[in-house]
Amino acid sequence: MKQFTYVINDPIGIHARPAGLLVKAAKALDSTITVEKEGGKSSAATKLMGVMGLGVKGGDTVIVTVEGGDEEASCRAMEQFFKDNL
C-alpha cells in the first residue's frame, strides 16, 4: 500500500470537471485508489458521485491510498495528476 497527502490548490475544490478527470485517470490504472478527505469520508477514486460527495474544497487536505497492481507507478501517476489538475 502506498499513500500520499495533498492540499487542494484549486479554489473551488474537487467539482464536476476535475472529479471526472480524476475518475478517468484512476480507471486507467491497475490499482485500487481511494481518496479520503482528511478527518472525513472516503471514496473509491473510480466513483464520480462518491468523489464529488466528499465535498473537498480549496485548501482541504486529501489522503490518497493506492493498493494492488503496480502501486509505485500508480502512486506517482496520481501524485502528478493532483499536482497538474488540483
Side-chain angles (χ1 to χ4, degrees):
M1 176 176 83
K2 298 282 184 185
Q3 201 172 53
F4 68 91
T5 58
Y6 185 79
V7 177
I8 303 300
N9 293 316
D10 186 326
I12 300 171
I14 301 179
H15 53 92
R17 184 189 56 76
L21 294 173
L22 173 60
V23 169
K24 185 176 180 181
K27 284 183 177 180
L29 299 173
D30 186 33
S31 298
T32 302
I33 298 157
T34 306
V35 179
E36 177 185 352
K37 182 176 179 181
E38 191 172 61
K41 302 180 279 185
S42 67
S43 171
T46 55
K47 307 288 185 193
L48 180 62
M49 297 310 289
V51 171
M52 289 176 59
L54 296 176
V56 177
K57 304 290 183 211
D60 287 351
T61 300
V62 294
I63 301 161
V64 181
T65 306
V66 180
E67 295 181 85
D70 188 353
E71 292 176 352
E72 192 67 42
S74 295
C75 190
R76 280 195 309 271
M78 278 289 100
E79 281 188 89
Q80 192 60 50
F81 174 85
F82 273 78
K83 288 176 186 172
D84 292 346
N85 296 287
L86 297 169

